[in-house]
Amino acid sequence: MAVPKRRNSKARGRLRRTHYVPIVPSLRKCRECGAPHLSHAICPVCGKYKSRMVIDYAKALRDKAEKEKEKKGGGA
Ligand SMILES: [Zn+2]
């Protein structure tokens, strides 16, 4: 079995670890609501991208409530 010829010095290990940098996502403020969101991505709060409605969360919630209501009414 291969065995390392000599142990790495403290400096070598530390030099290697200088490249261990945490990746911090670049957050941008939403133009509409000001909430932080990933750049080039839909705002998770208002569902808009470049001030354009992409996901209508309010409508989705309404639709969900309606569906549940329907389900309840049909079952009972
Ligand atoms: Zn927003």
Side-chain angles (χ1 to χ4, degrees), residues 1 5 7 19-20 29 32-33 40 47 51 58 60-61 76:
M1 200 177 97
K5 196 164 188 178
R7 82 168 216 162
H19 301 287
Y20 295 178
K29 259 188 189 174
E32 295 297 313
C33 66
H40 302 106
S51 302
L61 274 173

Side-chain angles (χ1 to χ4, degrees), residues 40-70:
H40 302 106
I42 300 163
C43 172
V45 177
C46 63
K48 285 183 179 179
Y49 181 71
K50 284 188 165 181
S51 302
R52 201 161 51 84
M53 186 66 82
V54 179
I55 300 170
D56 195 341
Y57 286 121
K59 189 180 175 288
L61 274 173
R62 260 185 277 126
D63 286 354
K64 199 184 173 191
E66 218 166 83
K67 216 175 187 182
E68 269 175 31
K69 215 177 178 184
E70 236 171 60

